Amino acid sequence: MKADKIFDTHAHYDHKQFDNDRDALLGALPQNNVGLVLNVGCDMKASRASVKLAEKYDYIYATVGVHPHDARTLTEKALEELVELAKHKKVVAYGEIGLDFNRNFSPADVQRKWFKRQLEAANELKLPLIIHSRDADDEVHDILANTPHHGGVVHAFPGNFVLARSYTDMGFYLGIGGIITYDKIGRLKAVVDSAPLDKILLETDCPYLTPVPFRGKRNESAYLTYVVDEIAQIKDVTPQEVRTQTYLNACKLFNI
């Protein structure tokens, strides 16, 4: 276990933005202080691609699932395929699933239906969850509070002290990425300050949510060093402590 390195718990290296240099970028990760990466499925194509990336690279693991944006595309047959994919030895979580009422690419009732169906599938598989919640914090929380699950992480944690405490009490971790380096994000910095370090995971959401000083460019796992430094400053600990504890947290959650 290389707990002195970074574990990026939420990446999308199957994204088309990496088509021109994917192999070179992924091949260089170990030299850029990145120990492990979790490539997250967000639709059927991405779930299949995540498994293939995990098969190709020892230090990449995968998740499968369908994002609320694409809930309208899900069928029972597709869900059956996801369940079969989830049985792969390098699939360590189910997601990215949840609710997103910000842009409503899928109708709200359809999002709710498939969120709950995927939660059922993940519970039967005994897999932790990768949770997406945008403009739906209370409803996502209430669904999870009343549904059997095996813990997980709230991706790009969007909430406040009360929500953070409730999630960690339920067995969830808080996913913290590049947003923590942005200006006018005081509420999140306060949440990170108050949350135990053993309840925080590092994540990029690459190619999105790139931290300062690269904001506006394509994100990648190596840039998590800036997130590490920001968390260390907020919590008055060393960057090595942040890297080590968040790495151990992720290995514990994903049973690696």
Side-chain angles (χ1 to χ4, degrees), residues 89-101:
K89 64 182 180 180
K90 292 198 76 178
V91 172
V92 296
Y94 196 106
E96 164 181 5
I97 62 174
L99 300 175
D100 191 316
F101 298 151

Side-chain angles (χ1 to χ4, degrees), residues 66-128:
V66 172
H67 189 288
H69 283 343
D70 293 291
R72 68 190 184 283
T73 69
L74 251 176
T75 63
E76 289 295 336
K77 183 177 181 180
L79 184 59
E80 289 176 7
E81 181 184 348
L82 288 172
V83 168
E84 289 306 308
L85 278 173
K87 295 175 183 177
H88 191 284
K89 64 182 180 180
K90 292 198 76 178
V91 172
V92 296
Y94 196 106
E96 164 181 5
I97 62 174
L99 300 175
D100 191 316
F101 298 151
N102 178 263
R103 303 180 76 175
N104 288 305
F105 288 146
S106 290
D109 59 337
V110 173
Q111 290 188 44
R112 293 184 183 101
K113 171 187 174 180
W114 288 109
F115 181 30
K116 292 175 181 178
R117 287 290 288 116
Q118 291 187 95
L119 286 175
E120 292 171 3
N123 187 56
E124 291 176 6
L125 290 159
K126 296 182 170 56
L127 287 175

Side-chain angles (χ1 to χ4, degrees), residues 28 34 37 97 199 201 211 226:
V34 178
V37 173
I97 62 174
K199 291 296 184 180
L201 299 184
Y226 297 95

